[in-house]
Amino acid sequence: MFFKQVRRNAAKNRKGNGLFFGSLVTAIIAFYTLLSLGELDVMHFLSTIESDAVQKLMALLPLVYAVSLFFVFFLVYFACRYQIDSRRRELGMYLMLGMRRSRLFLLLFCETLWSSMVSLLIGLPVALFITEGISLATARIVGLGILGHRFSFSPGAVCWTVCGFVLVQLLSMFILCIGIAKKEPAEFFQDGDVKKQAVASGFRSTLCFAAGLGFLLYAYGLGMFRLHSLRITVVLSVFVFGISGTFLLYRGLGGMFGLWIRAKNKHAVGLQIFTARQVQENVLSQYRSLAVSSLLLLMALACISYGISMGFGRSSDSRSVDLSLFGTEEQVDAVLEQDGVREMVQDSFPMYLSMIKRGDFHGGDRKVDISGLADALTALTRSGMRTFEQSDLIENIIENLHIDYVIAQSSYNHMLQSMGKEELQISDGQAAIYTSMGNDGDFGLIWQEVLEGNVSIGIDGEAYELLPDLCMDNVVADRAITLYLALIVPDETYRELAEEPGAYCWNVRLSDRVVEEAGLMRAIQDMEGLLDQTEGLTTENPTENAAVTSAGIEYDSYLGGIGRNLFYTVAASYLTIYLGVLFWLIANTVIGVKYLIGQRETKHRYETLSMLGAHTSSMCVSVNRQIRFYFSLVLVTAIVSSAAAIYSMFTSFTRLPVGVSVGKVALLAVLGLVIFAGLEILYISIVRRMADREIRMLQTTKE
């Protein structure tokens, strides 16, 4: 009989509080998705090439898990508190009928365990399905191929998900039961009293509101224009003024509402003044909850935006070549003609890259006169608005300005042709600037702006016009050599300037058919396996970054660079989006529960309205308007603050790589905002239905 009652009560609670039951299921999904990160195909792949970084990330997961438990505790606590509050009369009746408090507590704990089990039975299969979808999607995006996918199930993730979720459920119920133990049975039948709050004067409310608005604007200004320095005082000031401003803004908002109501009083009809007064009272009594919820939504939007930009920005790295082989032409030809290798190669070509000869120019310096570039950079500091960081970077570039390397035009054009890009058109008396650091912050943007100013340099005493476009495609796989600045010149000029005119390496691009069938990452790994089996091949001048096989052949692989890129993508986007979703859940749960509890505490007012002749439909309209106002007060502040925070992030310490489509990232951000708005509308509509049901239940009880 006891367990039958447990199942019946748990089912009734789930049916009556479906919104919060859904939030708990979503929390379970989030837990498993985080803890099963190591089972993703992309993480298995990264562990083979970036094992140290992956191990550090996996070591960080327990800390993220503990932080998640801390936040989920509040989500579960508020959900359980609302359920207990809605069952006050039922619990009081149990005590009136003679049920011992120990048995009542056992009943509540068993109901919690039963609800937890049902939530887990629903949430874990959904989480498994979602993680499989994520694994398939990432495998497809990064080039692992669907054929490389394997079904993943993490018993450890399931175990920690179950333990963590049940722990926060039982802890929340234990804290609530402590409050129940202090109450007499008669207290359960009393309607909740509205909490008294100190009503601030109009002057004090206006002062708090103005101070909060001023603090927020100051925090926005610091973040948007001075955060790039990353000084600890600036960072702390942004947080202190931003948080304080949010609390002060909501602290004074109640008084501002009062002024607005008094101005509107003469023209109000129906329940408009009642609706406004209800909102004002909620703001006055719950301003701390509103401020916390707004800050949580700010963190959610910032995390999700950061995750989207990092995920799609870093993953857009341009693939130029797949492997770079180091050796003589005879050695490389022997490798490429071996069985199995020949079928996988679509194109191979020498990369002519060398240091520039020493000459008599400027007392034994390189044979390149870069004074024109220095003058253009100096003029750049005097034109237009420059941030402190940009000005400092330009000064650093001028101090370290040198061009030591030269690249043959035919090699670079061959690489562009294999990539499907338009070839460089370099005429006599022209050259192009190349850098492998173009994706690093403002470096590439500054050089692009310099080159648009018709700059010339001197080569061996002759003037050469620089093309207006900055070249940044990797000339070798995995950056076997880092080129601060280099010149791309016609082949004849290359032979005159090159210290060693021979091929630096031989670049290889795999067949499109092989990549399509197996996926890029798998195809490169297969090619590496074939190279490891080559025999009798040695390299006279091994490079520092090249892989050395047991047979002696040396090569660089695209996997090295893409491995680091993928690691940052997963670490940044996966974890931040996860935290963003978690913050969003908690913020909305706090807002919804606080409103519904407040409505229940003031339900006698609706009973009085009904006695005065107000229709149920009119009261439901009033409640719906209150909910829209209540949520809007949080959302507007959160959206404005998040816009400033996102702008500060992407103009200060986080930059999209040069060449990444800003429009694409912006479109994805807009899509994320649309999804966010849709979920908010869905959440608000569910809260509205629950509030309407409470009003209609009052009418039913009256009848």
Side-chain angles (χ1 to χ4, degrees), residues 49 226 355 450 694:
I49 55 178
R226 296 189 60 189
M355 293 192 72
V450 168
E694 291 285 337

Side-chain angles (χ1 to χ4, degrees), residues 316-463:
S316 60
D317 188 29
S318 178
R319 165 188 165 227
S320 55
V321 296
D322 298 322
L323 297 109
S324 294
L325 304 181
F326 300 91
T328 65
E329 183 175 358
E330 293 77 13
Q331 290 174 329
V332 173
D333 287 342
V335 172
L336 298 181
E337 290 300 322
Q338 289 192 5
D339 292 338
V341 176
R342 181 173 55 254
E343 292 78 12
M344 295 187 66
V345 175
Q346 175 175 295
D347 189 20
S348 64
F349 57 92
M351 175 53 64
Y352 290 104
L353 164 68
S354 172
M355 293 192 72
I356 300 175
K357 290 179 182 178
R358 292 277 180 179
D360 296 331
F361 197 77
H362 281 316
D365 203 351
R366 304 293 180 190
K367 300 171 67 175
V368 179
D369 181 6
I370 55 177
S371 57
L373 283 175
D375 293 340
L377 285 165
T378 302
L380 200 63
T381 60
R382 302 169 183 167
S383 62
M385 295 293 295
R386 300 289 170 194
T387 65
F388 173 81
E389 184 182 35
Q390 291 172 335
S391 299
D392 187 60
L393 178 58
I394 293 174
E395 293 294 334
N396 183 268
I397 292 174
I398 295 174
E399 292 175 3
N400 297 280
L401 188 61
H402 59 86
I403 301 178
D404 295 334
Y405 288 90
V406 64
I407 303 170
Q409 177 187 0
S410 61
S411 294
Y412 197 80
N413 279 344
H414 199 148
M415 184 186 70
L416 292 177
Q417 183 182 14
S418 69
M419 297 171 66
K421 292 186 175 183
E422 185 178 353
E423 298 181 7
L424 287 177
Q425 301 298 326
I426 305 179
S427 304
D428 292 338
Q430 290 183 325
I433 290 289
Y434 173 86
T435 179
S436 59
M437 303 175 65
N439 290 336
D440 297 340
D442 285 328
F443 187 87
L445 296 175
I446 289 173
W447 275 107
Q448 187 66 59
E449 189 173 350
V450 168
L451 294 176
E452 291 173 354
N454 298 322
V455 183
S456 297
I457 62 172
I459 299 179
D460 205 13
E462 297 183 11

Side-chain angles (χ1 to χ4, degrees), residues 487-544:
L487 287 176
I488 302 175
V489 297
D491 289 15
E492 293 183 3
T493 308
Y494 171 81
R495 285 189 288 270
E496 295 175 0
L497 295 177
E499 193 171 76
E500 296 180 2
Y504 173 76
C505 66
W506 294 77
N507 286 335
V508 174
R509 193 172 178 92
L510 300 182
S511 168
D512 292 337
R513 177 187 57 81
V514 174
V515 172
E516 183 67 25
E517 290 178 357
L520 176 61
M521 302 298 107
R522 191 69 60 189
I524 296 178
Q525 284 183 324
D526 293 342
M527 184 66 172
E528 289 180 344
L530 292 173
L531 292 177
D532 291 341
Q533 298 173 9
T534 57
E535 298 179 357
L537 300 171
T538 59
T539 302
E540 296 180 359
N541 299 311
T543 61
E544 180 181 355

Side-chain angles (χ1 to χ4, degrees), residues 96 216 246 265 354 370 391 495 526 528 586 616 649 664:
M96 291 290 290
L216 283 177
T246 302
N265 201 6
S354 172
I370 55 177
S391 299
R495 285 189 288 270
D526 293 342
E528 289 180 344
I586 298 169
T616 302
M649 282 194 301
K664 178 182 177 181

Side-chain angles (χ1 to χ4, degrees), residues 12-34:
K12 184 176 65 174
N13 291 334
R14 291 194 302 274
K15 183 178 180 181
N17 301 287
L19 173 64
F20 307 111
F21 179 72
S23 298
L24 299 181
V25 171
T26 307
I28 293 171
I29 295 172
F31 271 147
Y32 181 83
T33 305
L34 170 70

